[in-house]
Amino acid sequence: GQQVMQIPQYQHVQEGEDFTTYCNSSTTLSNIQWYKQRPGGHPVFLIQLVKSGEVKKQKRLTFQFGEAKKNSSLHITATQTTDVGTYFCAGDSTGNQFYFGTGTSLTVIP
Amino acid sequence: NAGVTQTPKFQVLKTGQSMTLQCAQDMNHNSMYWYRQDPGMGLRLIYYSASEGTTDKGEVPNGYNVSRLNKREFSLRLESAAPSQTSVYFCASRGGRGTETQYFGPGTRLLVL
């Protein structure tokens, strides 16, 4: 079945350093979504990417969708303590069923 | 406007007991989902309902049943709970195909002894 792998599993950074998480799918995706989950909370939608090679920015966050629509990345520039949480990608190839990556837990050290 | 609500927030069951997790959304969304979240596993889809009156299996449906009672409500039932079903359960809703955001409820933390 479809698999979505995400690396790294954990990342500790000093405040102000950059952070990147990578997502790879075993199948071609129609779109990919990114979510953030704070400790003890629920996933919150960040963005959806649809087009091959698409790049979207939200302030310090940059999201990319690979040319083959099988991989994606989230890059955070100059991390802040408010960025702490687990970041998940979720890939969709069927139109209604999302496969979540295992998540990257980000710790920001002040 | 409460978004997605789930009850209960916490539950402890003994092996073999049954229970129903309730989920409701007030956003008039067509699609609803049940996920479970285990440490290091991300979220895995149990069942989903693309529209009122339809339900489909997700990645890990064994041991669960669902009911899409109406457009607002989507319940998840454990007929005979097992320790392997200890998890955090999230319900989510979405406007429909092509509509981006999945809105998640606060989760139900279930412990099966």
Side-chain angles (χ1 to χ4, degrees), chain B residues 1-21:
Chain B
N1 188 334
V4 180
T5 57
Q6 291 183 237
T7 56
K9 287 187 170 56
F10 303 95
Q11 185 71 49
V12 179
L13 291 178
K14 294 180 180 178
T15 297
Q17 287 184 319
S18 62
M19 79 163 294
T20 300
L21 283 65

Side-chain angles (χ1 to χ4, degrees), chain A residues 35-99:
Chain A
Y35 291 80
K36 177 182 178 181
Q37 184 177 24
R38 293 185 184 275
H42 59 273
V44 175
F45 175 85
L46 294 176
I47 208 160
Q48 175 169 285
L49 304 172
V50 178
K51 299 176 183 175
S52 170
E54 189 170 13
V55 178
K56 286 188 177 180
K57 293 190 176 184
Q58 289 180 349
K59 297 182 180 178
R60 294 178 294 103
L61 277 62
T62 302
F63 304 84
Q64 294 191 356
F65 201 9
E67 294 289 341
K69 301 184 74 173
K70 295 180 75 172
N71 62 287
S72 182
S73 65
L74 158 60
H75 179 82
I76 301 178
T77 304
T79 54
Q80 300 174 357
T81 54
T82 53
D83 295 325
V84 165
T86 300
Y87 293 85
F88 292 97
C89 61
D92 170 24
S93 60
T94 64
N96 212 19
Q97 185 168 163
F98 290 89
Y99 290 86

